[in-house]
Amino acid sequence: VQDDRQSQAQGRQLTVVLMLATLISAFGSSFQYGYNVAVINSPSQFIQQFYNTTYVERYGGPMEDSFLTLLWSLSVSMFPLGGLFGSLMVAPLVNKLGRKGTLLFNNIFSVVPAVMMGVSEIAKSYEIIIVARIIVGICAGLSSNVVPMYLGELSPKNLRGAIGVVPQLFITIGILSAQVLGIRSILGNNTGWPLMLGLTGIPALVELLLLPFFPESPRYMLIQRGDDKTARRALQRLRGWEDVDREMDEMRLEHQSEQAEGRLSVLNLLSLRSLRWQLISIVAMNMGQQLSGINAIYYYADSIYSSAGVPESDIQYVTVGTGAVNVFMTITAVFIVEAAGRRLLLLIGFGICCVSCALLTVALTFQSTEWMPYVSIACVIVYVVGHAVGPSTIPYVVTTEMFRQSSRPAAFMVAGSIHWLSNFTVGLVFPFMESGLGSNSFIIFCFVCLATLFYIWLIVPETKNKTFLEISLGFGLTMSIYPLTW
């Protein structure tokens, strides 16, 4: 009995192999997502100057403002559109190539656009940048879904939440890195922007060199490939312990319980009533995450800082400070998610965002009052804190936990598609909302946060420290309380 307890305790530790696999996959894939979200913002005026100069050299006259606006909108919006395409590729790729195999394959969609964007100025082609943004978006769409899936399947259940937050941590580090490099005196200038855009290929090369030395998901090898020996060896390396029988038995039990279902496609998943609440839950959380106003907050941040009296040349440093707060709070989430639980962090996070949006609306309305601009800055920072603790980090963790092996790839495909479609929609619609409603736009985000909070309160159960099978059975209770007839 003592040996068995020792074996379990050993298996629950964070081993060197598990830690390195987590850091390499998160840096090689998730970091790029964050980096490419922010990389185009700081040097935007110089990239647009390049667009105009190139047009003049080709056609002998300046580009019309409306055409420049269209090209820039395409440069920005092609990234989330590529993310949507990448999400649609998740299920077929992870089932065919495995989780680790998909991450390695995905680096093609990083290295190629990195080279394209790096040489765009030499090639005198703004079209290259727009096409490269679609391709690097595909990379982000795949990585945002596959990394949480891979790490969720590598982790013991007591570390699954903390390790599941690490991809989001590297997304925030990617955003911060782009903000720092985008400072005018570093690379956010007329000569440095092509290098800044091209640097996204470096994490991909690191992952291509190092990730092959780490194991594939044991669950994928055992349940989907039927390779017992490889799964056992992978699990032994990840746990740092020879006796992994208990965990192997748990995986076999999960496999037996879902054998009748087979591997589920998206259409199968949509038609299965037993997984309906899980499916609605990941749709609600991913929509809530993107439609809660995080992109609008960043859009408004510069004007808020400016109205508070921050000099124009210093706003870039305040933006970096906001990014640093985001990273710090995500690190905090890594350490508290196992103690606090997923559900509580989601409720607290959406609650903070809801209150911040309401107060920000009031503060922006009465901006002429002397001290109100400082209230606006406080609202932005508090909002970023709230979003980092819950809405940004937890949906990826919970998506991994709510579904078993046969339905997980299709579930991530749905969740990822909703995530990127919502992201694309906000980017498309918010400028019109902002011109029509002004500061009142944040009232809409306030109601989105409130609606998502109520949904989580009523429907989403706690998933911490439970096996995938136990979580699945827990949703059976939700189905009995709130039966669905469709």
Side-chain angles (χ1 to χ4, degrees):
V1 173
Q2 191 171 354
D3 286 346
D4 188 45
R5 285 177 182 169
Q6 191 179 8
S7 157
Q8 286 181 56
Q10 187 82 11
R12 289 173 184 169
Q13 292 176 5
L14 179 62
T15 59
V16 173
V17 173
L18 179 56
M19 181 179 70
L20 290 176
T22 301
L23 293 176
I24 290 165
S25 58
F27 174 67
S29 295
S30 303
F31 177 90
Q32 294 184 64
Y33 171 10
Y35 185 82
N36 284 296
V37 163
V39 72
I40 207 162
N41 296 338
S42 298
S44 59
Q45 69 183 85
F46 303 108
I47 300 173
Q48 288 180 64
Q49 281 174 16
F50 161 69
Y51 285 10
N52 200 32
T53 305
T54 303
Y55 188 88
V56 169
E57 288 177 4
R58 285 185 193 175
Y59 304 109
M63 186 183 290
E64 289 183 15
D65 287 346
S66 58
F67 187 55
L68 179 59
T69 303
L70 174 63
L71 284 180
W72 186 246
S73 298
L74 287 172
S75 303
V76 174
S77 62
M78 286 302 103
F79 179 71
L81 189 63
L84 175 61
F85 294 152
S87 294
L88 295 173
M89 295 161 64
V90 169
L93 284 176
V94 295
N95 287 329
K96 180 74 175 173
L97 303 176
R99 282 61 168 149
K100 186 182 82 169
T102 301
L103 289 177
L104 292 171
F105 173 76
N106 189 32
N107 287 310
I108 295 170
F109 299 117
S110 174
V111 175
V112 170
V115 173
M116 289 170 68
M117 290 187 287
V119 303
S120 57
E121 189 179 34
I122 298 168
K124 298 188 182 302
S125 171
Y126 43 75
E127 294 89 350
I128 285 180
I129 294 176
I130 295 169
V131 172
R133 289 284 290 175
I134 298 177
I135 299 171
V136 84
I138 292 171
C139 173
L142 277 165
S143 65
S144 65
N145 292 290
V146 181
V147 177
M149 191 190 308
Y150 176 56
L151 297 182
E153 293 180 9
L154 294 189
S155 310
K157 64 183 180 181
N158 65 305
L159 294 175
R160 205 167 52 222
I163 289 175
V165 173
V166 172
Q168 181 60 33
L169 171 60
F170 273 84
I171 290 172
T172 62
I173 293 171
I175 292 171
L176 179 61
S177 300
Q179 289 169 339
V180 170
L181 291 174
I183 290 171
R184 295 285 181 267
S185 57
I186 304 177
L187 290 177
N189 51 54
N190 200 32
T191 56
W193 66 263
L195 175 60
M196 189 176 166
L197 295 183
L199 286 176
T200 188
I202 292 176
L205 293 173
V206 171
E207 187 174 52
L208 275 172
L209 287 170
L210 298 180
L211 195 60
F213 296 103
F214 292 87
E216 177 56 272
S217 159
R219 287 180 174 274
Y220 171 76
M221 295 310 298
L222 179 68
I223 298 175
Q224 290 183 241
R225 285 290 182 88
D227 190 340
D228 195 292
K229 282 186 179 179
T230 305
R232 180 178 290 276
R233 280 199 304 271
L235 208 51
Q236 287 168 341
R237 283 187 67 197
L238 290 163
R239 302 294 177 260
W241 193 253
E242 291 296 313
D243 184 9
V244 292
D245 289 340
R246 182 183 290 269
E247 209 166 343
M248 291 288 288
D249 289 342
E250 183 248 303
M251 285 193 278
R252 290 191 190 100
L253 183 64
E254 182 185 334
H255 181 41
Q256 288 166 12
S257 71
E258 60 181 7
Q259 222 163 12
E261 294 173 2
R263 190 184 298 165
L264 295 180
S265 67
V266 172
L267 288 175
N268 295 145
L269 182 64
L270 293 172
S271 62
L272 236 133
R273 281 188 62 197
S274 60
L275 295 174
R276 194 65 48 80
W277 273 123
Q278 288 96 312
L279 191 64
I280 295 170
S281 296
I282 62 167
V283 168
M285 284 187 287
N286 278 279
M287 285 184 72
Q289 181 196 60
Q290 290 301 307
L291 302 181
S292 58
I294 185 65
N295 296 319
I297 287 282
Y298 280 121
Y299 179 88
Y300 244 97
D302 284 6
S303 62
I304 289 169
Y305 299 147
S306 181
S307 65
V310 178
E312 197 71 30
S313 59
D314 293 342
I315 286 176
Q316 57 184 337
Y317 301 109
V318 181
T319 302
V320 168
T322 309
V325 168
N326 199 4
V327 171
F328 175 76
M329 290 312 302
T330 310
I331 292 171
T332 305
V334 172
F335 291 102
I336 65 174
V337 65
E338 293 299 350
R342 290 65 155 145
R343 188 170 181 271
L344 181 62
L345 289 183
L346 282 168
L347 292 171
I348 290 171
F350 276 110
I352 291 171
C353 292
C354 178
V355 173
S356 298
C357 283
L359 291 176
L360 184 59
T361 304
V362 174
L364 290 172
T365 303
F366 298 101
Q367 196 78 338
S368 55
T369 307
E370 188 178 343
W371 49 271
M372 269 300 176
Y374 300 102
V375 175
S376 302
I377 290 179
C379 287
V380 169
I381 293 169
V382 171
Y383 180 95
V384 168
V385 167
H387 211 274
V389 166
S392 285
T393 51
I394 307 301
Y396 297 109
V397 178
V398 176
T399 303
T400 302
E401 294 180 324
M402 281 184 179
F403 295 87
R404 292 182 286 171
Q405 198 72 19
S406 63
S407 53
R408 193 173 295 126
F412 265 98
M413 198 164 156
V414 172
S417 299
I418 294 295
H419 170 97
W420 288 101
L421 197 59
S422 300
N423 187 318
F424 180 70
T425 303
V426 170
L428 204 64
V429 172
F430 180 71
F432 298 102
M433 277 176 57
E434 193 267 332
S435 62
L437 298 173
S439 59
N440 292 325
S441 306
F442 289 98
I443 284 291
I444 295 171
F445 299 129
C446 176
F447 281 113
V448 170
C449 292
L450 191 63
T452 311
L453 188 151
F454 273 118
Y455 178 87
I456 293 164
W457 175 268
L458 289 171
I459 302 298
V460 178
E462 182 51 72
T463 58
K464 74 167 183 175
N465 214 21
K466 293 179 181 177
T467 66
F468 295 126
L469 188 56
E470 287 167 347
I471 294 164
S472 182
L473 293 172
F475 264 99
L477 181 62
T478 304
M479 181 66 85
S480 65
I481 298 170
Y482 304 105
L484 293 170
T485 56
W486 45 276

